[in-house]
Amino acid sequence: MTTTSSISPQGAQPVPNTSGNGASLSQSGDADHSHIAPGEIAVGVIIGRASEYFDFFVYGIASVLVFPYVFFPFEQRLEGILYAFVVFSFAFIARPFGTVISMAIQRRFGRETKLTIALFLLGTSTAGIAFLPGYESIGFTAIVLLSVFRFCQGLALGGSWDGLPSLLALNAPPNRRGWYAMLGQLGAPIGFFIASALFAFLYASLSIKDFLDWGWRYTFYVAFAINVVALFARLRLVATEEYSRLLEERELQPTSVVELTRSQGTNLLIGAFAALASYALFHLITVFPLSWITLYSDQSITEFLVVQMIGAVFCAGGIVASGLIADRVGRRFTLGGLAALIAVFSGFAPTLLDGGRLGQDVFILLGFVLLGLSYGQAAGAVTSNFEPKYRYTGAALTADLAWLIGAAFAPLVALGLSAHFGLAYVSVYLLSGAAGTLAALGLNRALVRD
């Protein structure tokens, strides 16, 4: 007998005693409890993810426009950006460690304490970068401190997992799980749009000297302020009795990472590779093109940032569309189909990037559309593979590994290889990501059938 892959929306069942239309997640007859609707959880997810993505995109854009001049002035522009991309990857290396540490903190002190520590660390690390003197003031110490702050950002992001996406997916109406799965992903284009707009405004309004001296620091001040708002918005939800009760009902509690790895190691790897095409495309559309344009194009930086902002709007539209598509054809088919389209897109990437302003803009806009469609269903694609008691920690570590494998080194590898050997290596990178996704989906289907 053939069994449907657990990636499909049918992998999770509704909460017992939940109203038939999914409008309320509170228990029937429990009128004294506050009611938490899927829409309210979705708002918490979007706010939290948008703040985190804003932090990371501020850093990513600064890695191209600021850090090579402020922290690596002793190198040529290409080498300076490559060094900045090395430091950029530290946060993704730190994420799994942050998750492991934070799970231990949550088991001992509670979810609210863990989330407060994580977001406080993220905010202070971001603010620390804003106040950090450059290489000309304190020498190599500036690079060390930048690396430490970046690593701390990764630890904080790993620790900021609150279980909201898993709770949302498990309690969404059965025929709308693709729709609710995509809501949290909207934080990415929102965060990128705000970060790009802020940099475009400052870059266009200030002289290069003022921008590099002090103008860029305002983006990190804003990131700190947004984190404060996001902290209170998320704590308002996760601190409620109803939220805690729902997590307990769905067994969304932290477990030992060692035990998880021994019991669910295969699911961790499948989950990390199932969305690899999306994560590989992620930084090759957002961060890498800005570095390529800065080095090898005469297109205005401000104008290119505006094009990327338009692309972020297209990405948001693609994410919304992915929810509708996934609910109609299934998440597994959606992820596989988009991986195939990304593979096709990879073949045109070198021609478009080397095709002048028009080609570069087409690469950005088309890439953002594909990113939205694929990334919209990338989160927790195989979460239902995990046994219930491992789902909370498993979803967090799956995302960490996906970012590490697919996105952490994408700008560094793409720029380094392209600058020395040609743009064809961008195609190779994207193609490898698409192949990883298709292989993982095929393996998942085979294991489930067995």
Side-chain angles (χ1 to χ4, degrees), residues 6 35 71 97 106 108 123 128-129 168 171 192 213 216 244 261 263 273 280 326 343 348 361 373 378 391 397:
S6 59
H35 292 257
F71 296 102
F97 297 100
Q106 181 174 339
R108 179 160 185 170
I129 295 172
L168 181 62
N171 292 279
F192 182 76
D213 282 347
W216 65 273
S244 298
T261 304
S263 175
F273 281 91
F348 296 94
D361 291 351
L373 290 169
R391 189 168 289 161
L397 279 178

Side-chain angles (χ1 to χ4, degrees), residues 367-424:
F368 266 112
V369 171
L370 288 175
L371 178 62
L373 290 169
S374 60
Y375 187 67
Q377 298 301 312
V382 294
T383 299
S384 57
N385 281 11
F386 291 102
E387 295 177 20
K389 73 172 185 176
Y390 296 117
R391 189 168 289 161
Y392 182 85
T393 306
L397 279 178
T398 295
D400 294 341
L401 293 176
W403 280 113
L404 178 61
I405 297 170
F409 305 101
L412 174 66
V413 172
L415 180 60
L417 292 177
S418 297
H420 291 97
F421 304 107
L423 285 167

Side-chain angles (χ1 to χ4, degrees), residues 8-34:
S8 64
Q10 287 71 29
Q13 299 301 321
V15 175
N17 299 324
T18 299
S19 60
N21 60 5
S24 174
L25 301 183
S26 60
Q27 290 181 327
S28 299
D30 217 354
D32 292 334
H33 287 294
S34 58

Side-chain angles (χ1 to χ4, degrees), residues 2 12 15 54 83 90 235 240 242 321 334:
T2 301
V15 175
F54 177 78
Y83 278 129
F90 289 172
L235 284 178
T240 62
E242 181 75 359
T334 301

Side-chain angles (χ1 to χ4, degrees), residues 3 56 62 148 152 183 191 213 251 321 341 346 373 376 387 422 428 440:
T3 304
F56 268 60
V148 170
C152 287
L183 290 175
D213 282 347
E251 298 185 58
L341 288 178
S346 70
L373 290 169
E387 295 177 20
V428 174

Side-chain angles (χ1 to χ4, degrees), residues 146-163:
L146 178 67
S147 301
V148 170
F149 285 136
R150 181 58 176 168
F151 194 85
C152 287
Q153 282 187 318
L155 289 176
L157 191 57
S160 66
W161 175 251
D162 49 23

Side-chain angles (χ1 to χ4, degrees), residues 26-100:
S26 60
Q27 290 181 327
S28 299
D30 217 354
D32 292 334
H33 287 294
S34 58
H35 292 257
I36 303 179
E40 187 174 355
I41 299 176
V43 170
V45 173
I46 293 172
I47 291 175
R49 298 303 174 265
S51 68
E52 293 165 4
Y53 280 114
F54 177 78
D55 270 25
F56 268 60
F57 282 128
V58 162
Y59 192 98
I61 296 172
S63 294
V64 177
L65 301 183
V66 178
F67 294 160
Y69 306 98
V70 176
F71 296 102
F72 304 101
F74 50 87
E75 292 289 354
Q76 298 295 319
R77 290 175 66 190
L78 172 60
E79 286 73 19
I81 294 177
L82 290 175
Y83 278 129
F85 282 163
V86 170
V87 180
F88 176 79
S89 69
F90 289 172
F92 301 95
I93 297 173
R95 277 187 64 155
F97 297 100
T99 295
V100 173

